[in-house]
Amino acid sequence: MSKKNAVVITGLGVISPVGLNLDELLRSLSTATSGIKLCAAEPLSKLFPAGLISESFADNFTKLELPYLDRCQQMGILAARQAITDAGFDSFADYGQRAGLYYGSVKGGVATEQAWHHQLLVEGKQTARPFTAMAIMQNAGAAQISIRHQILGPVMTHGSACSSSGAAIGEAFRAIRDGYLDVAVAGGAEAPLTASGFGAFDGIRAAAMPDPSDVARSCKPFSSDRTGLVMGEGAAFIVLESAEHAQRRGASCFAALSGYGIASDAYHIGTPKADGQIAALRAALADAALQPSDIDYLNAHGTATKGGDEVEANAICSVFGARSVPVSSTKSIHGHLLGATSALELIITTLAMAESFLPATAHLDAIDPKCALNHIANTPLFDRQIEHAMSFSCGFGGTNVALAISKHREMPAKRRSVSVHTAN
């Protein structure tokens, strides 16, 4: 196991508020188009801004499958299928223990769980509907994907809050780099737009208020007039392979996953601390053998909470300097997908590298002086070559994850059928 394998990204898949596939996502990023809308969550009377996907996905599944599947798992299955197909796979049965699945989620099947609570407490039901237990499990998404694609190696679920899918991707990367696996599917899914989800974040005074002029502008990371986070739903997955394995089968790749850093604050269950974030960023740089000056773009965690943005800005400044690396938070258009957000933002970072542009933090009209960085404000920057980039995530409980990607020069580069130049 002493050999260190180069690891490449050969497939991407996404179901998000700003695109149900990669081309739709790229169009939204190129115009900084928001997918945030007002969302109702019975029995709450209050409306919340949310990264909302209007479509139902039930028609993609049979009547026999649906009882097992919360909306969270439905989106996870579809996004993972996109990534697997994009990479040129279908079944991994022939790989045996050499293929794995690494999954991140916070809430699991929360809509199904809330429905059962309503039946119990309001309707007086004494027994849940059949298969409820399978639909509410945190690892149900991973299990469903592994069954459909015959992934027989490690199938692991990570639950480190907002860094869940980032940790999942990082651990998949390590398993391939260290020779334990040839290929892995990694990412996460989340469908938290329920009364219990909104009420919980509203209870800790972290939820954003709807923007009075335009609800689509409700999420304002690093802005002086930010009011809190905006939850979102969706799923995002990537396929990772050793470069040697991908080359043998004639695959192309988007980028190399070159570094992974994970570190904990060990400070407070709900309040971040810059020390842990700094440690994660520096660990990812060291893992990739890069200097801070090598990074051409950083996709920040940027939740638009008052304290969180300040702490993160301090951490980024400590590692990169206040005016060095270009920074944006794309949560401004898709919201915070909790356990799936790391995977979505890594995909966005990967597309930015592949298509040579820098995504923007939308609605950043007035930068908070306490969050002074090299912000890409309001409008994406095009024709910007990216050799190395990072995606950064910080979770409640203090788990921080940084992922570094780099251009891979030894394999054909993979691009989308819609480029930012035609999408813009």
Side-chain angles (χ1 to χ4, degrees), residues 19-391:
L20 302 183
N21 55 56
L22 293 178
D23 289 342
E24 290 182 4
L25 174 61
L26 195 53
R27 288 188 184 97
S28 295
L29 292 169
S30 69
T31 55
T33 299
S34 175
I36 294 170
K37 308 174 182 71
L38 274 181
C39 183
E42 294 183 355
L44 298 179
S45 58
K46 188 175 181 179
L47 297 177
F48 293 86
L52 181 65
I53 300 172
S54 300
E55 283 79 1
S56 168
F57 301 103
D59 288 346
N60 293 277
F61 303 95
T62 68
K63 290 182 178 179
L64 291 177
E65 290 177 306
L66 283 173
Y68 292 94
L69 301 176
D70 185 86
R71 181 174 173 83
C72 179
Q73 292 118 43
Q74 293 176 23
M75 292 189 292
I77 290 166
L78 296 174
R81 184 182 297 164
Q82 283 184 30
I84 291 166
T85 301
D86 189 37
F89 293 103
D90 180 20
S91 171
F92 295 91
D94 292 342
Y95 285 84
Q97 306 301 301
R98 301 291 298 174
L101 172 63
Y102 293 75
Y103 176 77
S105 185
V106 175
K107 304 293 287 183
V110 65
T112 300
E113 187 171 27
Q114 184 172 297
W116 159 232
H117 289 161
H118 183 273
Q119 293 158 11
L120 172 67
L121 300 173
V122 178
E123 299 175 16
K125 302 279 188 182
Q126 297 296 298
T127 303
R129 292 176 179 174
F131 317 122
T132 295
M134 291 79 161
I136 67 176
M137 298 188 308
Q138 188 181 15
N139 70 320
Q144 292 286 356
I145 296 164
S146 71
I147 291 166
R148 282 165 170 77
H149 296 281
Q150 289 297 283
I151 299 173
L152 304 174
V155 175
M156 304 180 69
T157 297
H158 293 256
S160 52
C162 313
S163 60
S164 297
S165 56
I169 290 168
E171 295 304 314
F173 162 69
R174 282 181 176 172
I176 296 171
R177 184 185 63 181
D178 293 346
Y180 293 97
L181 298 177
D182 295 319
V183 59
V185 181
E190 208 77 72
L193 306 184
T194 61
S196 60
F198 285 121
F201 280 105
D202 204 25
I204 59 170
R205 308 295 187 264
M209 296 182 291
D211 184 275
S213 63
D214 182 0
V215 68
R217 294 174 52 87
S218 297
C219 187
K220 301 176 183 178
F222 304 117
S223 173
S224 58
D225 59 353
R226 66 191 184 276
T227 62
L229 67 81
V230 171
M231 280 202 303
E233 62 178 344
F237 283 84
I238 69 173
V239 173
L240 295 170
E241 298 178 64
S242 70
E244 182 181 353
H245 179 269
Q247 288 171 320
R248 279 202 310 267
R249 67 183 190 89
S252 56
C253 75
F254 289 101
L257 185 53
S258 52
Y260 167 45
I262 184 167
S264 294
D265 297 345
Y267 173 64
H268 188 277
I269 194 69
T271 301
K273 189 177 184 182
D275 294 18
Q277 297 182 11
I278 291 167
L281 289 165
R282 287 179 174 162
L285 288 168
D287 197 38
L290 296 172
Q291 297 298 315
S293 58
D294 293 325
I295 303 300
D296 300 309
Y297 169 63
L298 173 67
N299 189 296
H301 188 54
T303 60
T305 56
K306 286 292 183 184
D309 283 9
E310 289 181 23
V311 171
E312 184 183 8
N314 288 337
I316 293 170
C317 185
S318 295
V319 175
F320 296 98
R323 289 292 176 185
S324 52
V325 62
V327 174
S328 68
S329 170
T330 54
K331 286 185 179 72
S332 55
I333 62 171
H334 55 69
H336 193 337
L337 274 63
L338 304 185
T341 205
S342 297
L344 175 59
E345 289 160 21
L346 181 67
I347 287 175
I348 289 170
T349 305
T350 303
L351 288 175
M353 176 176 286
E355 299 297 334
S356 303
F357 78 107
L358 304 183
T361 303
H363 330 307
L364 188 52
D365 300 326
I367 298 169
D368 185 342
K370 295 180 180 178
C371 300
L373 295 166
N374 185 9
H375 292 285
I376 308 158
N378 299 317
T379 305
L381 301 178
F382 300 100
D383 298 315
R384 298 298 179 99
Q385 293 296 315
I386 301 174
E387 292 293 323
H388 309 281
M390 292 183 72
S391 180

